[in-house]
Amino acid sequence: MAAADKFRPFIGRASTPVKNEVEKGAIRKFAEAIGDPNPLYRDEQYAAGTRYGHIVAPPTFSRTFDYGVIPDFELPVAGLIHGSQEFNYKKPICAGDVVYCANKLLDVFEKSGSLGTMVFLVFEQTVADEAGEPFLVQKSTVIYRPQA
Amino acid sequence: MERMERYQPGQALGPLVKPPVTKTQLVMYSGASGDFNPIHTVDEFAEQAGLGGVIAHGMLTMAFVGQMLSEIVGVEGDLLTFGIRFTGMVRPGDVVTCEGTVKEVEDVEGRQVVRADVWGMTQKQERVVAGHAEFAVPLG
């Protein structure tokens, strides 16, 4: 059996969207961790004077949200590598926003190379408002090496 | 932060030179991101995993490039798309420099839309992340 086969039945399946509250303290801690001094991420008074009106989340902050679990889908614990990450931004995420986050398995494919068999799992993650209008859509490719 | 000049194809973006990555920073990023994989924080674990010590989260390095892009778009511009492939490992002590090159520009409804290649490189000249970004800035 090909290593990718056990993942293929889950293509197209998604988690139930999870409600996440965007907290200004979480944004500030994230900005501190990445060493980004931008006042938009920490200074409420400054941010209020901009077109955003509120503290804004940095471009990759959305990765910190809870996206729920795809029913019955189990990701291996070991042998995983983050291969690539894409963001498609629709509207800014600000402190105080309530967002609904879901994860879907978009595609599975297999490649053989010098490192042995590699299974590529492509996930599409959506961050939307209560009406279902997206803030952003992100795509993550996770590489699984069964022999690792 | 506001840049009102027009971007031209071939133009360089950055550099943003980040301070050396520290183990404390990896612990901070684990807490801030919720990614507690011990390969980023526990040397013994990372050594047993064959990594020769802790490595930085790929998403931390991507965030460095994100900082460069946020500084470029400023308060009035918008980042539209941002994609990265993770092509190398970053370790404590490494200095990551973020850069880019403008590929295409287009005027759209009073704004300039810029498509660029972007990357992060260590002091050993190794590209550890490489990808693309698209952003819109007001026309001056």
Side-chain angles (χ1 to χ4, degrees), chain B residues 56-69:
Chain B
H57 309 69
M59 286 307 301
L60 175 62
T61 310
M62 186 171 188
F64 294 165
V65 181
Q67 178 183 348
M68 177 186 76
L69 291 167

Side-chain angles (χ1 to χ4, degrees), chain A residues 63 82 84-86 121-123 125 138-142:
Chain A
R63 278 276 306 190
H82 195 179
S84 65
Q85 178 70 35
E86 283 174 40
L121 302 160
V122 185
F123 295 94
Q125 296 165 337
Q138 61 194 36
K139 205 188 272 186
S140 294
T141 302
V142 175

Side-chain angles (χ1 to χ4, degrees), chain A residues 2 14 18 20 30 38 41 56 66 73 81 86 92 94 107 111 119 123 125 141 145:
Chain A
V18 176
N20 288 255
F30 186 88
N38 195 329
Y41 305 148
V56 182
D66 180 0
F73 179 79
I81 304 168
E86 283 174 40
C94 293
D107 197 11
K111 281 185 188 173
V119 180
F123 295 94
Q125 296 165 337
T141 302
R145 291 180 302 150

Side-chain angles (χ1 to χ4, degrees), chain A residues 9-127:
Chain A
F10 294 93
I11 293 173
R13 293 204 201 164
S15 64
T16 303
V18 176
K19 180 180 176 180
N20 288 255
E21 291 175 27
V22 183
E23 295 166 7
K24 65 181 178 188
I27 292 175
R28 194 191 68 243
K29 285 200 176 79
F30 186 88
E32 283 169 0
I34 67 176
D36 188 334
N38 195 329
L40 267 182
Y41 305 148
R42 44 172 71 71
D43 185 337
E44 277 185 304
Q45 222 174 345
Y46 170 82
T50 69
R51 70 188 171 107
Y52 297 106
H54 300 276
I55 284 177
V56 182
T60 60
F61 180 76
S62 57
R63 278 276 306 190
T64 71
F65 296 143
D66 180 0
Y67 290 83
V69 291
I70 300 170
D72 303 321
F73 179 79
E74 279 178 45
L75 203 58
V77 182
L80 293 180
I81 304 168
H82 195 179
S84 65
Q85 178 70 35
E86 283 174 40
F87 296 91
N88 192 342
Y89 302 101
K90 309 290 186 191
K91 58 179 183 176
I93 296 173
C94 293
D97 283 343
V98 174
V99 301
Y100 294 82
C101 303
N103 186 27
K104 180 165 86 173
L105 184 64
L106 203 61
D107 197 11
V108 177
F109 57 94
E110 202 174 293
K111 281 185 188 173
S112 291
S114 54
L115 294 170
T117 301
M118 297 191 292
V119 180
F120 289 70
L121 302 160
V122 185
F123 295 94
E124 182 186 75
Q125 296 165 337
T126 308
V127 179

